[in-house]
């Protein structure tokens, strides 16, 4: 199975900060990667698919980049509603595997 | 707009079988646009993919669970189901059903709200 290593596991940031989360795959996965946001008690929500495509309705402050083994999720200006846990998911092949998650907390 | 809703017992005894159903509304489970999947999340932990099924019955399972898991689809009821046998406390989790796009690029959307299943005697 492809292992997804996500970092950091948590971070503290202020409203307006630029935030970057990374995900590294144990082998090349082309651009078959998605980013999901999960708030407490809620189901995950897709933000980015295909490594860099913004899901409809997701604010443009979210962006994704990368290909192969290294991927990045960037929030250009953190908003109060962005405090949540973020997961990457590789869907290059089965079994689908998630990163461990990054919890974004208020500084 | 397609919506999903999980249902099933919230408490299962150790060694028994966990059974959950996901009802699809606002669209057909026989749509060629989706695979239907199950994902779980132990309390305070991360997400784990369990498996996917296509309306034709084609399935893909996580090898870590493969010997215990079965996903089936009932097109007449617009539902798909999860069965996980020989459960232990480690299977305590919130279980989500979700639709996954059938054509690359893939993503999971929509999701059900999730249902907590506790394994305890």
């Amino acid at each position: 199975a492809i292992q997804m290593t996500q970092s950091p596991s948590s971070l503290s940031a202020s409203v307006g900060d630029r935030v970057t989360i990374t995900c590294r795959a144990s082998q090349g996965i082309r651009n078959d990667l998605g980013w999901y946001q999960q708030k407490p008690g809620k189901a995950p929500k897709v933000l980015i698919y295909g490594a860099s495509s913004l899901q409809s309705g997701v604010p443009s402050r979210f962006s994704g980049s990368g290909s192969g083994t290294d991927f990045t999720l960037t929030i250009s200006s953190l908003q109060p509603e962005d405090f949540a846990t973020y997961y990457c998911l590789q869907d290059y092949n089965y079994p689908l595997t998630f990163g461990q998650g990054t919890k974004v907390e208020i500084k | 707009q397609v919506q999903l809703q999980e249902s099933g017992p919230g408490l299962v005894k150790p060694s028994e079988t966990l059974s959950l159903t996901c009802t699809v509304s606002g669209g057909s489970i026989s749509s060629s646009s989706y695979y239907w999947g199950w994902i779980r999340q132990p309390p305070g932990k991360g997400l784990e993919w369990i498996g996917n099924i296509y309306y034709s019955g084609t399935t893909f399972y996580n090898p870590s669970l493969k010997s215990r898991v079965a996903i089936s689809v009932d097109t007449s009821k617009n539902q798909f189901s999860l069965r996980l046998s020989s459960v232990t406390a480690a299977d305590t989790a919130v279980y989500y059903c979700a639709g996954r796009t059938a054509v690359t690029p893939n993503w999971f959307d929509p999701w059900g709200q999730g249902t907590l299943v506790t394994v305890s005697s």
Side-chain angles (χ1 to χ4, degrees), chain A residues 30 32 36 38 41-46 49-50 55 87 89 91 94-100, chain B residues 35 39 41 45-49 52 60 62-63 96 100 104-109 111-113:
Chain A
R30 302 183 306 194
D32 295 330
Y36 294 77
Q38 187 179 34
K42 300 294 186 182
K45 168 189 168 184
V46 61
Y49 62 88
Q55 175 71 330
Y87 294 93
L89 168 66
D91 47 36
Y94 289 112
L96 308 182
T97 45
F98 289 91
Q100 309 97 305
Chain B
Y35 278 85
I39 296 114
Q41 185 172 37
K45 297 188 177 180
L47 300 162
E48 178 182 32
W49 173 75
N52 287 351
F60 301 91
N62 193 323
Y96 295 100
R100 177 175 180 254
T104 302
N106 303 106
W107 65 85
F108 279 106
D109 183 63
W111 293 66
Q113 65 185 25

Side-chain angles (χ1 to χ4, degrees), chain B residues 42-60:
Chain B
K45 297 188 177 180
L47 300 162
E48 178 182 32
W49 173 75
I50 298 171
N52 287 351
I53 189 167
Y54 200 50
Y55 75 93
S56 61
T58 301
T59 53
F60 301 91

Side-chain angles (χ1 to χ4, degrees), chain B residues 15-18 67-70 83-88 91:
Chain B
S15 79
E16 295 189 345
T17 296
L18 178 160
S67 62
R68 300 194 292 130
V69 68
R83 288 175 58 86
L84 183 66
S85 63
S86 304
V87 297
T88 69
D91 295 309

Side-chain angles (χ1 to χ4, degrees), chain A residues 6 9-11 19 21 36-40 42 47 62 75 78-87 101-106:
Chain A
Q6 195 172 330
S9 57
S10 66
L11 65 90
V19 169
I21 299 168
Y36 294 77
Q37 177 193 65
Q38 187 179 34
K39 296 182 179 179
K42 300 294 186 182
L47 302 175
F62 291 95
I75 310 172
L78 197 66
Q79 298 301 299
E81 60 268 31
D82 300 337
F83 292 95
T85 301
Y86 294 84
Y87 294 93
T102 296
K103 186 173 184 179
V104 177
E105 299 176 301
I106 302 172

